[in-house]
Amino acid sequence: MNDTTITIDGKEVAAEQGEMVIEVADRENIRIPRFCYHKNLSIAANCRMCLVEVEKAPKPLPACATPITDGMVVKTRSPIALQAQKAVMEFLLINHPLDCPVCDQGGECELQDISMGYGEDVSRYNQGKRSVADQDVGPLIETFMTRCIHCTRCVRFGDEISGMRELGLVNRGEKSQITTYVEKNIESELSGNIIDICPVGALTNKPFRFKARTWEMKQHATIAPHDCVGSNLMMHERRNEVMRVVPAENEAINETWIADRDRYSHFALYTPDRVTQPMIKVNDTWQTVDWATALEHTVAGLQTVIHKHGEKAVGALASQSETVENYYMFQYFLRSLGINNIDHRLQQQDFSDQSAFPAYPHMGTTFEKIEESDAVVLIGSHTRKEQPMLWHRLHKASQNGAKMFAVNPVDFNLIFAFEKNIVPESGDLVAGLTQLLEHIPEGLQSATKPVILLGALAMNHPQAATLRSLAQKLADKIGATLGLVTSGSNSAGAWLTGVVPHRLPGKQAASNEGQDAQAMLQDQKQAYVLLNVEPEFDCANTGQALQAMNNAEFVLAVNTFTTDDMLQYANVILPAAPFNEISGHMINAQGDCQQFNAAIPPKGESRPAWKIFRILAQLCQIDEIAKFMTIADVFEAAQQHIAEPEAAKWTADSKNTAPRGTIRIAEMPIYAIDPIVRRAKPLQETHDATKVQGAHINKATASGLQVNTGDAVIVSQNDNEITLSVVINDCLADNTVYIAQGLAEHKTLGAAYAPIEIKRA
Amino acid sequence: MKLNQVCFRSLEFDDPASLKTYEEKVGGYKVWRKILKEKPSPEDLIEELKKSVLRGRGGAGFPTGLKWSFMPRHLDGPKYVVCNSDESEPGTFKDRDIMRYNPHQMIEGMAIASYILGATTGYNYTRGEYWEPFQACEKAVAEARAAGLLGSNILGSGVDFELHNMIGAGAYICGEETALLESLEGKKGFPRFKPPFPANFGLYGRPTIINNTESFASVPVILEKGADWFLNVGTERSGGTKIFSVSGHVNKPGNYEVPMGTPFKDLLELAGGMLDGRKLKAVIPGGSSVPVVPADIMMETNMDYESIGKAGSMLGAGSVIVMDETTDMVKILARISEFYDEESCGQCTPCREGTGWLSRTVHKVLHGQGTPADLDLLQDVSNNMMGRTICALADAAAMPVLSFIKHFRSEFDALVKK
């Protein structure tokens, strides 16, 4: 490294062979103006703004595409360089509308900024300006194509990052325009990034449009709470209201990108079903009360149940995306009361090998290392929709030549091509994985850096333990890294702080092992404590969960939002502040423990969940609670249990049998994954949100039922029937029906990979 | 002066495009057969080409032998030979006639190139409007294939070479070699940023030799008659003959293959002299993109790379546009500028925005609505476009503007002075 020296603007700097001039200049903080160059995209060299003078070159050269050579002398602000840059600036501005006052990009526009330095006051161009018709490309992105300066960053983003060529440059010369060609939505789950990379106001944030000016907002660093990547975010806030979210750069995690889910979920924060006041139900009527009354009511309710039925009659469920601090105080409070039925694994169906788990489930590798692997096996992972930024790394690996393999319940479109993609009948992933294990393809056998990842659809499979032990065998045979990709943003934190029934914080076995998430719903409890859980959406068997809630004597919800059902079954709802209104830590799939601070104060009377559990503990007269004065105290207590990722060895087999007959395949779809996302209106308007509705079956199943797309079918699970419309989808295997979880219409149904009856309506 | 010694050597015979004529009368495919039999060292063949001073006939004039020596011949995997028959420069129509009347010589040249470079696949890319030449090439390739001169294990030599003709969709920019390669790959014809050059990163990212039709068609003759013969036909630094496409105000417009270094006035005479005996005003010697040369300078200039360079222009593709004293130079420039406005691919800012600006401003001047400031603006905009883009289209649009105003300022002044 640093084997070469070049001179930029009189400063001698070290550089590496193969680097471009602009990379070296950026590192040295020498600012060269640019539009088309983006460090995470391929080089186009078409905007010509970065022209610089290079000694001995006959004409100015683009810094973005000029490789350095030893002894090179570059002048970025010499008369020749400046003249060239100013000339390009003039060309860029002749057809650009001077509508900055009404343009959403105004104030954060690269063209505006650079024209301050390189543009003239008065234009020499006095002819008609080009205008281009706008396109409706869906609910997330607003287009104003007259402002486009044809840098093609958005086109390259589609080609290289999202893997979907959704935009292109049509026509020639001055008539060039960026377009979807035929009128269509932009559907990539990473699409919002083109708003950030667009240097002008051609592509802007549609739901944010005309809401705020950049100089009115303050920005706060935070962490995305929807998946185990832990993308770094900047939250823009004006007068204590979140206005928008943009990525914060972190090359080790999300590079310069974020998923649309992380960008648009904040629109949920101000929906009418947000709870901002403590609420108690008295004589079947909800009352908004002060904290003291609500807490008193809570303690009384819980203690009544405990006195009457014992601690075992209480079940406690936490979401998979809480902070370490929330988790810690949640279990601290419950365990102090002797409640051991504590879990966060809401979707899981097989707990038989839980004692063999390492301190916490993790990916076994890092995002950056995945890019370098030469073979990847995905087992039960719809990675593209589950963890879009992890998918991005897999996509890069595939672009680098890695061979891709999968065993999935559905032939998901993951963009990259699979060497082998097994989609077993009846969702029998064990059979599929066995097949792969018995006939290991050559490309996998010969791989030197293979990675095996088990995704949510494997983790939540009724035979998850067997899948893990089979994956272990495969990993041992080919020398692969084996990793688990968990749901939620902080499953790691939940494990480490003991939000599982069989372990106390720090992997200590619990002396009184409680019941897991499934058992505590199957085995009706008299009281439930919920932390940001909406059981009728979030649990594996939603129909059963709803019934358990409805039949309980006392339900305490420490939640950010309410649901219609919750207003029926809950007795107390305490307003928990969402992720952007609290501080804390979350641990991602590669084991980074990331700290973030509240962007804005909690809305109304909401409080961070850890404070709610602290005061509840205080009211329950738990002596030691006094030591948790501040969030730092809580973290300090939790921190000693936060360990480095630990290797696991999976050998146990599941006690459950393989699913047989017609089986329901279900996943938490990308925009139904958690309470926040489910309420984000812009996301709910996307194709990704709507296309998962209905009962999806393949052609063979459809012809067996004599139904066609759009026909009504009656499906039943848990003795509950619902009517759905048919979607014929040949990505499904025989004997499977895909009916998504997390959707209101499907809440009375049962679990995934369980038998389902389907008949013509 | 001897005409038609190289690329047009089939013209004196009946049915010049047929394989029969080419083999029996012209003596074609002799070199190809000899190479297949004797397997000479490719280095020697490249040396021969270097010695002949064959310079690329597509316009840039880069020495062909030197270009071929850059190709990583020993690299494993596919390598390609591509013939650039896009010929889209206004005023150029020479490759059309090679393809119509002597396609086998181009095929033989490409076959030889494939041997030298170790390529097994070749593409001949013709412009979208060249349906008839394309058909002629299709026929010739079929004939050659039937005669066993193309295909696999050609004439039992163990050498493979398959050739495909391909027709574009009518974009000027696809004559730029990297845009041509993009188009050939099925993409939009956008020139690529260079380096890397096609020799290392060409068609489908593989080492590729791309040359003009006339360059390929010259190769069999050079290897048959020897580099010295070829060099001696032309001048010291511009070997061989050159086809000049003479158009405009002459009595006999057409293609004339003459030795390099032929004086312009002799070429003009060959073309039947000035139409209606009018006086010569100016000549664009290398296609619409090169600077215009006034009559007095042109009449003293010889037709080779160096002499035309000295006259302040470029030989280009040898497209000689002759204009007489009745020509309205502003009108000509307006037409040329409009062409480049239409044909800019739109990739680079200076060209995308500048070509339209130039065209509209020249039209404004032409229609008497310009001001003296517009003339300064035209020159300024042109200078800001020159050398600032990925390919040379911006230069092609700028050079006519600069040269027309430089040499015929009075005509422009007359229109802007109220």
Side-chain angles (χ1 to χ4, degrees):
Chain A
M1 177 140 185
N2 292 350
D3 47 359
T4 311
T5 312
I6 70 169
T7 308
I8 308 182
D9 292 350
K11 187 177 166 193
E12 263 198 25
V13 297
E16 205 180 332
Q17 282 293 341
E19 275 189 303
M20 299 297 164
V21 170
I22 206 165
E23 292 176 79
V24 182
D26 280 354
R27 194 167 56 229
E28 297 297 327
N29 270 327
I30 296 168
R31 184 73 189 164
I32 301 172
R34 87 286 307 268
F35 295 108
C36 71
Y37 174 77
H38 187 283
K39 66 176 181 169
N40 287 333
L41 297 174
S42 67
I43 292 167
N46 62 22
C47 79
R48 317 307 285 181
M49 191 64 213
C50 68
L51 290 173
V52 293
E53 184 185 353
V54 177
E55 256 181 31
K56 291 184 192 130
K59 52 191 183 184
L61 297 176
C64 69
T66 303
I68 56 122
T69 53
D70 199 18
M72 184 184 239
V73 179
V74 179
K75 296 170 186 166
T76 71
R77 298 194 59 82
S78 68
I80 290 178
L82 283 178
Q83 195 280 331
Q85 291 162 6
K86 285 183 173 174
V88 173
M89 193 72 232
E90 180 179 35
F91 284 127
L92 281 168
L93 289 177
I94 67 170
N95 271 312
H96 188 80
L98 298 177
D99 63 345
C100 307
V102 296
C103 174
D104 239 25
Q105 193 87 353
E108 56 179 355
C109 171
E110 292 174 48
L111 188 68
Q112 198 180 36
D113 290 350
I114 296 175
S115 74
M116 290 298 288
Y118 298 88
E120 295 293 333
D121 296 344
V122 179
S123 175
R124 294 193 289 176
Y125 184 76
N126 51 16
Q127 298 158 12
K129 287 195 179 220
R130 167 179 59 221
S131 66
V132 181
D134 299 335
Q135 275 190 308
D136 186 351
V137 295
L140 305 182
I141 298 161
E142 180 69 29
T143 67
F144 194 101
M145 298 322 288
T146 300
R147 295 178 187 142
C148 174
I149 58 167
H150 311 94
C151 70
T152 70
R153 278 182 187 173
C154 57
V155 178
R156 282 173 284 145
F157 179 85
D159 270 358
E160 297 157 19
I161 308 296
S162 77
M164 298 169 79
R165 277 177 175 236
E166 295 186 288
L167 290 167
L169 191 64
V170 301
N171 300 335
R172 285 199 302 243
E174 256 187 338
K175 298 182 195 76
S176 298
Q177 43 177 300
I178 299 285
T179 159
T180 54
Y181 193 52
V182 291
E183 194 85 4
K184 72 180 275 294
N185 278 357
I186 292 179
E187 285 173 6
S188 158
E189 63 289 334
L190 303 176
S191 68
N193 291 299
I194 63 177
I195 297 164
D196 301 330
I197 59 178
C198 180
V200 293
L203 302 170
T204 54
N205 187 323
K206 196 174 212 170
F208 168 72
R209 196 160 71 118
F210 304 146
K211 291 263 166 62
R213 282 302 196 181
T214 153
W215 56 84
E216 303 169 325
M217 298 184 287
K218 272 186 277 184
Q219 107 173 344
H220 305 270
T222 184
I223 306 295
H226 307 296
D227 60 43
C228 62
V229 174
S231 293
N232 291 195
L233 310 178
M234 282 294 173
M235 192 160 253
H236 291 178
E237 153 263 318
R238 183 185 61 186
R239 296 191 288 277
N240 290 341
E241 189 185 352
V242 178
M243 303 308 294
R244 70 167 169 187
V245 164
V246 295
E249 189 178 333
N250 187 336
E251 285 296 322
I253 296 177
N254 54 307
E255 298 175 51
T256 47
W257 320 119
I258 50 170
D260 290 352
R261 193 165 60 189
D262 304 333
R263 184 183 303 269
Y264 294 102
S265 67
H266 70 88
F267 285 96
L269 300 171
Y270 306 107
T271 45
D273 55 359
R274 166 94 194 259
V275 211
T276 54
Q277 296 285 329
M279 292 161 68
I280 57 172
K281 194 153 66 181
V282 182
N283 301 329
D284 280 337
T285 312
W286 282 101
Q287 294 178 0
T288 303
V289 292
D290 58 30
W291 271 103
T293 312
L295 293 167
E296 214 172 282
H297 200 80
T298 307
V299 171
L302 272 177
Q303 279 175 346
T304 308
V305 171
I306 293 174
H307 284 148
K308 240 164 59 185
H309 310 281
E311 292 89 351
K312 286 196 171 140
V314 184
L317 295 169
S319 86
Q320 303 171 99
S321 303
E322 298 302 311
T323 58
V324 167
E325 291 81 353
N326 282 358
Y327 280 135
Y328 190 84
M329 287 312 293
F330 175 72
Q331 63 87 33
Y332 184 91
F333 163 67
L334 293 162
R335 288 209 162 95
S336 303
L337 294 184
I339 297 165
N340 294 309
N341 302 328
I342 300 172
D343 211 345
H344 75 285
R345 299 165 296 177
L346 308 176
Q347 292 279 315
Q348 208 163 304
Q349 298 191 60
D350 180 13
F351 301 86
S352 54
D353 62 348
Q354 62 179 5
S355 311
F357 262 67
Y360 66 94
H362 59 88
M363 211 169 56
T365 179
T366 64
F367 301 122
E368 282 177 320
K369 274 193 199 148
I370 281 178
E371 278 177 34
E372 294 158 17
S373 58
D374 56 354
V376 178
V377 185
L378 295 173
I379 301 166
S381 177
H382 193 184
T383 334
R384 200 178 136 210
K385 303 294 177 187
E386 284 170 12
Q387 296 88 12
M389 289 318 299
L390 170 61
W391 171 84
H392 163 61
R393 301 287 184 160
L394 297 174
H395 183 223
K396 270 173 131 181
S398 148
Q399 284 170 323
N400 292 341
K403 296 196 165 67
M404 313 303 279
F405 303 85
V407 179
N408 259 336
V410 179
D411 181 6
F412 293 120
N413 174 12
L414 295 185
I415 308 269
F416 38 71
F418 286 106
E419 293 278 309
K420 195 166 181 65
N421 185 12
I422 300 171
V423 184
E425 202 179 314
S426 292
D428 189 352
L429 294 184
V430 168
L433 186 51
T434 307
Q435 189 192 330
L436 187 71
L437 189 61
E438 283 169 1
H439 307 279
I440 300 176
E442 214 291 307
L444 191 54
Q445 192 80 261
S446 62
T448 56
K449 280 181 276 181
V451 171
I452 302 174
L453 295 175
L454 286 142
L457 295 163
M459 306 269 279
N460 300 332
H461 194 275
Q463 293 176 294
T466 313
L467 288 173
R468 279 188 279 268
S469 68
L470 287 172
Q472 181 77 59
K473 279 184 194 145
L474 180 62
D476 292 345
K477 270 193 182 172
I478 60 172
T481 313
L482 173 61
L484 307 186
V485 186
T486 51
S487 304
S489 63
N490 195 18
S491 177
W495 275 89
L496 286 165
T497 53
V499 184
V500 281
H502 63 296
R503 278 187 192 162
L504 305 178
K507 214 190 163 186
Q508 280 179 69
S511 46
N512 291 311
E513 188 174 317
Q515 284 178 311
D516 59 56
Q518 197 181 29
M520 71 174 95
L521 291 169
Q522 215 161 26
D523 181 14
Q524 177 71 49
K525 299 290 159 202
Q526 288 317 311
Y528 288 101
V529 178
L530 306 174
L531 172 53
N532 279 323
V533 176
E534 294 166 356
E536 65 274 26
F537 291 95
D538 289 323
C539 289
N541 189 331
T542 48
Q544 185 188 58
L546 183 56
Q547 207 179 349
M549 293 302 135
N550 283 333
N551 294 341
E553 267 177 44
F554 182 79
V555 175
L556 161 66
V558 180
N559 269 25
T560 305
F561 304 100
T562 58
T563 66
D564 292 346
D565 287 306
M566 192 177 289
L567 294 175
Q568 298 296 318
Y569 59 65
N571 301 77
V572 181
I573 301 175
L574 300 179
F579 75 105
N580 60 308
E581 297 172 12
I582 62 175
S583 303
H585 292 76
M586 291 200 281
I587 302 166
N588 68 7
Q590 65 178 3
D592 303 318
C593 182
Q594 302 191 86
Q595 194 270 339
F596 61 96
N597 287 326
I600 53 173
K603 193 171 177 221
E605 289 297 310
S606 325
R607 290 292 176 266
W610 70 268
K611 281 192 179 173
I612 298 176
F613 292 111
R614 182 186 62 179
I615 187 83
L616 283 171
Q618 223 162 35
L619 292 173
C620 291
Q621 266 117 48
I622 295 155
D623 293 341
E624 281 194 348
I625 196 70
K627 69 183 180 190
F628 298 116
M629 286 300 289
T630 65
I631 191 164
D633 298 333
V634 181
F635 184 66
E636 202 185 296
Q639 193 177 20
Q640 54 176 311
H641 306 300
I642 295 178
E644 286 295 304
E646 181 189 26
K649 194 83 189 168
W650 310 102
T651 50
D653 274 350
S654 174
K655 293 180 194 91
N656 297 328
T657 51
R660 289 276 172 264
T662 304
I663 293 301
R664 174 182 175 194
I665 302 294
E667 60 172 341
M668 290 296 269
I670 181 167
Y671 297 142
I673 202 103
D674 62 37
I676 300 180
V677 168
R678 287 196 288 268
R679 287 169 174 81
K681 191 164 160 269
L683 295 176
Q684 295 311 318
E685 288 168 353
T686 61
H687 185 53
D688 261 339
T690 53
K691 76 179 179 193
V692 294
Q693 290 165 351
H696 297 239
I697 49 179
N698 71 11
K699 260 195 216 105
T701 315
S703 64
L705 291 168
Q706 292 182 304
V707 290
N708 228 318
T709 298
D711 289 353
V713 284
I714 297 171
V715 295
S716 62
Q717 260 188 324
N718 287 359
D719 301 324
N720 283 318
E721 280 187 354
I722 59 169
T723 306
L724 292 173
S725 119
V726 167
V727 180
I728 293 185
N729 183 345
D730 271 336
C731 296
L732 285 162
D734 288 346
N735 288 333
T736 59
V737 183
Y738 173 97
I739 299 170
Q741 285 171 305
L743 305 188
E745 310 84 75
H746 306 168
K747 67 184 177 193
T748 54
L749 295 180
Y753 303 107
I756 189 161
E757 273 174 46
I758 178 165
K759 59 180 189 222
R760 269 181 79 172
Chain B
M1 184 180 13
K2 232 179 137 191
L3 292 178
N4 304 343
Q5 297 184 77
V6 178
C7 295
F8 283 161
R9 58 183 182 158
S10 66
L11 277 183
E12 57 180 297
F13 307 107
D14 289 340
D15 196 8
S18 71
L19 178 64
K20 195 165 153 32
T21 307
Y22 185 62
E23 284 215 278
E24 292 172 9
K25 304 261 178 60
V26 178
Y29 286 120
K30 240 184 341 202
V31 180
W32 181 227
R33 285 175 191 278
K34 194 173 165 210
I35 286 175
L36 291 173
K37 208 166 130 197
E38 296 174 5
K39 310 262 171 69
S41 113
E43 282 86 356
D44 291 349
L45 298 175
I46 290 178
E47 269 319 301
E48 196 71 7
L49 284 174
K50 278 189 186 166
K51 232 166 75 186
S52 75
V53 200
L54 170 64
R55 293 175 61 168
R57 300 298 195 232
F62 194 81
T64 304
L66 192 61
K67 183 168 173 178
W68 291 11
S69 71
F70 293 150
M71 171 127 162
R73 286 187 293 117
H74 300 292
L75 207 72
D76 285 338
K79 296 182 279 281
Y80 298 99
V81 171
V82 178
C83 179
N84 184 347
S85 301
D86 193 68
E87 192 170 50
S88 36
E89 182 78 3
T92 317
F93 41 87
K94 65 188 177 66
D95 297 337
R96 181 178 66 162
D97 281 357
I98 296 176
M99 288 189 278
R100 282 158 86 204
Y101 301 124
N102 198 9
H104 282 288
Q105 196 162 314
M106 171 196 80
I107 294 169
E108 189 179 3
M110 289 182 71
I112 295 167
S114 81
Y115 171 80
I116 295 178
L117 306 163
T120 53
T121 310
Y123 294 94
N124 173 39
Y125 186 101
T126 55
R127 67 180 282 181
E129 296 85 347
Y130 277 7
W131 181 245
E132 189 203 341
F134 173 75
Q135 289 296 335
C137 290
E138 282 286 88
K139 191 172 158 229
V141 167
E143 279 180 330
R145 198 178 287 133
L149 294 162
L150 293 176
S152 53
N153 190 18
I154 302 167
L155 303 175
S157 62
V159 173
D160 303 337
F161 181 58
E162 197 51 80
L163 180 56
H164 307 277
N165 294 300
M166 155 91 195
I167 190 154
Y172 172 75
I173 194 62
C174 289
E176 200 279 345
E177 58 184 21
T178 54
L180 186 153
L181 294 177
E182 290 281 301
S183 169
L184 201 50
E185 287 180 13
K187 302 176 193 156
K188 193 175 177 187
F190 270 1
R192 298 175 184 166
F193 186 80
K194 293 161 288 259
F197 289 95
N200 291 303
F201 189 94
L203 188 61
Y204 303 112
R206 302 294 311 170
T208 300
I209 276 302
I210 175 162
N211 274 88
N212 173 252
T213 321
E214 192 183 350
S215 307
F216 277 123
S218 302
V219 170
V221 182
I222 295 170
L223 296 181
E224 183 194 323
K225 299 191 175 172
D228 291 332
W229 173 85
F230 189 79
L231 180 58
N232 290 333
V233 172
T235 68
E236 197 183 329
R237 289 179 61 200
S238 303
T241 60
K242 176 83 191 82
I243 305 174
F244 290 101
S245 308
V246 184
S247 63
H249 299 140
V250 292
N251 281 314
K252 282 163 61 188
N255 283 318
Y256 296 91
E257 186 177 39
V258 298
M260 281 284 193
T262 301
F264 171 74
K265 57 181 189 316
D266 296 357
L267 183 64
L268 186 57
E269 210 172 292
L270 268 178
M274 294 301 293
L275 192 66
D276 298 338
R278 286 198 291 262
K279 248 178 76 189
L280 179 70
K281 183 176 190 177
V283 175
I284 302 176
S288 63
S289 64
V290 309
V292 65
V293 182
D296 51 337
I297 305 175
M298 203 62 214
M299 290 306 276
E300 301 300 314
T301 300
N302 294 340
M303 300 304 285
D304 60 71
Y305 291 101
E306 290 67 39
S307 309
I308 296 181
K310 265 185 223 141
S313 187
M314 287 181 271
L315 183 128
S319 334
V320 182
I321 302 169
V322 179
M323 293 170 278
D324 72 17
E325 57 191 337
T326 64
T327 311
D328 179 344
M329 297 309 273
V330 182
K331 208 167 171 178
I332 297 280
L333 180 62
R335 184 63 194 86
I336 291 176
S337 295
E338 200 178 318
F339 176 81
Y340 289 107
D341 176 25
E342 188 61 39
E343 295 293 343
S344 167
C345 84
Q347 193 178 193
C348 305
T349 307
C351 181
R352 179 183 65 239
E353 309 293 342
T355 48
W357 196 358
L358 287 182
S359 171
R360 285 191 294 274
T361 309
V362 177
H363 275 91
K364 193 175 142 193
V365 172
L366 176 67
H367 292 110
Q369 292 174 0
T371 62
D374 283 329
L375 299 187
D376 297 338
L377 179 76
L378 281 171
Q379 294 177 82
D380 215 25
V381 171
S382 299
N383 283 324
N384 284 342
M385 291 164 67
M386 289 267 279
R388 305 278 170 85
T389 50
I390 287 175
C391 81
L393 196 144
D395 300 53
M399 283 189 295
V401 175
L402 291 171
S403 64
F404 272 69
I405 296 179
K406 179 179 163 199
H407 293 301
F408 303 97
R409 176 96 197 190
S410 59
E411 292 187 34
F412 288 86
D413 282 342
L415 283 168
V416 296
K417 272 181 195 145
K418 292 281 155 70

